[in-house]
Amino acid sequence: RLANRESKEELDITFDQKMKTNFATIFATLATATAFVHTSAPAGKKPSTSRSLFRDGEEGETNFAQVALASVLSAALLSSPLPALADGQTENFKLPPIDKSDKNRCSLISSNMGQANAARDKLYDLRECQLSGASAPGFDLSGVIMTKTDASKVDFKEAYFSKGFLRDSNFEGADFTNAIVDRANFKGSSLRGTIFTNAVLTGTSFEGADVEGADFTEAAIGSFDLKNLCKNPTLKGENPKTGADTRLSVGCVPSP
């Protein structure tokens, strides 16, 4: 655990430096490639728009320069990836109206269509539903939409929440042990006392969420998401059920 925590802190310290280096690499490559195009194209003549790359003479040289420009830019972008954002983090994300005529809407139903792409035959809308104390172990709830939903003390062990829109909801005391909660968004939700032991939380956002008393022991969290989570002022306390120190369970440096 100590080695794991030290490793995570090293990622935090070097993250900003890596991002700055990546951006510098992209701009430097762009400048170099642009200069290459200008020197390859003959003075006073417009670059050729011919489709032939290997055409003899000046046109061939210009075409080659254009392809080289595209190639080096692509290589720079691929070698300098930006952190992935969780689904639903768009500033003006708009949801459709709640279909309150559906009396069976507020039910935890597992999907059989493959959780990787959150595929379903219709929108899985659990907004404003009362689900406290329900049981959904191993359920595939990928792509679910929850806002102002009461999912406190729900058993979500080994469940799938890929691309879940889980904002402004109550997940207090819920158990996500061994769950797959990748690319989800808990913005503004209450996760006090929630258990994420050994859960996969890659690409998941906890921006503005209350995580006091949550347990993240052995959870898989991406370096970018870890950096943000460690800055969350509510990352403190102990889990009332497991007794784990919340901040230390993530691997963040203890608060002064």
Side-chain angles (χ1 to χ4, degrees):
R1 293 290 299 165
L2 179 59
N4 184 43
R5 182 164 62 252
E6 291 176 347
S7 176
K8 289 180 178 178
E9 289 307 317
E10 289 176 0
L11 287 173
D12 289 343
I13 293 172
T14 60
F15 177 80
D16 289 332
Q17 296 175 339
K18 289 182 179 179
M19 290 299 294
K20 292 178 181 177
T21 301
N22 287 342
F23 279 116
T25 300
I26 293 175
F27 287 119
T29 305
L30 175 61
T32 302
T34 303
F36 180 75
V37 172
H38 285 304
T39 56
S40 297
K45 185 170 183 177
K46 295 182 180 180
S48 171
T49 57
S50 171
R51 296 191 183 194
S52 175
L53 171 62
F54 301 103
R55 178 170 297 188
D56 293 334
E58 295 175 349
E59 289 186 354
E61 293 177 359
T62 301
N63 290 338
F64 180 81
Q66 291 171 340
V67 173
L69 171 60
S71 299
V72 294
L73 285 177
S74 297
L77 290 172
L78 290 173
S79 62
S80 309
L82 298 177
L85 296 179
D87 283 37
Q89 288 191 48
T90 306
E91 283 296 321
N92 298 316
F93 194 87
K94 294 183 179 180
L95 295 171
I98 299 175
D99 182 10
K100 296 186 177 181
S101 64
D102 185 356
K103 302 303 180 182
N104 298 317
R105 183 178 64 84
C106 292
S107 300
L108 291 169
I109 302 174
S110 182
S111 171
N112 296 317
M113 299 180 67
Q115 73 277 1
N117 294 315
R120 286 181 177 271
D121 55 357
K122 68 175 183 178
L123 187 70
Y124 191 24
D125 189 356
L126 295 180
R127 286 176 290 174
E128 301 182 11
C129 290
Q130 300 299 314
L131 305 171
S132 182
S135 183
F139 278 31
D140 182 357
L141 304 174
S142 300
V144 65
I145 297 177
M146 293 184 179
T147 56
K148 298 181 180 179
T149 302
D150 184 0
S152 59
K153 300 181 180 179
V154 176
D155 180 0
F156 288 127
K157 289 191 290 290
E158 300 184 0
Y160 296 88
F161 277 89
S162 295
K163 299 184 179 181
F165 189 90
L166 314 172
R167 300 170 75 167
D168 302 311
S169 294
N170 181 2
F171 292 96
E172 295 181 8
D175 192 344
F176 289 89
T177 299
N178 296 325
I180 307 297
V181 196
D182 64 307
R183 298 166 291 172
N185 193 336
F186 284 106
K187 184 175 181 178
S189 289
S190 178
L191 300 163
R192 296 172 69 92
T194 302
I195 300 174
F196 288 105
T197 302
N198 203 44
V200 175
L201 302 173
T202 52
T204 291
S205 172
F206 293 93
E207 179 186 353
D210 186 348
V211 295
E212 183 172 353
D215 184 357
F216 293 91
T217 302
E218 301 300 334
I221 307 174
S223 58
F224 180 77
D225 307 307
L226 177 65
K227 181 180 180 68
N228 288 331
L229 184 55
C230 287
K231 294 179 179 179
N232 190 316
T234 67
L235 192 70
K236 58 185 178 181
E238 295 183 354
N239 186 274
K241 187 173 182 179
T242 66
D245 181 284
T246 296
R247 191 168 185 83
L248 293 181
S249 72
V250 176
C252 304
V253 173
S255 299

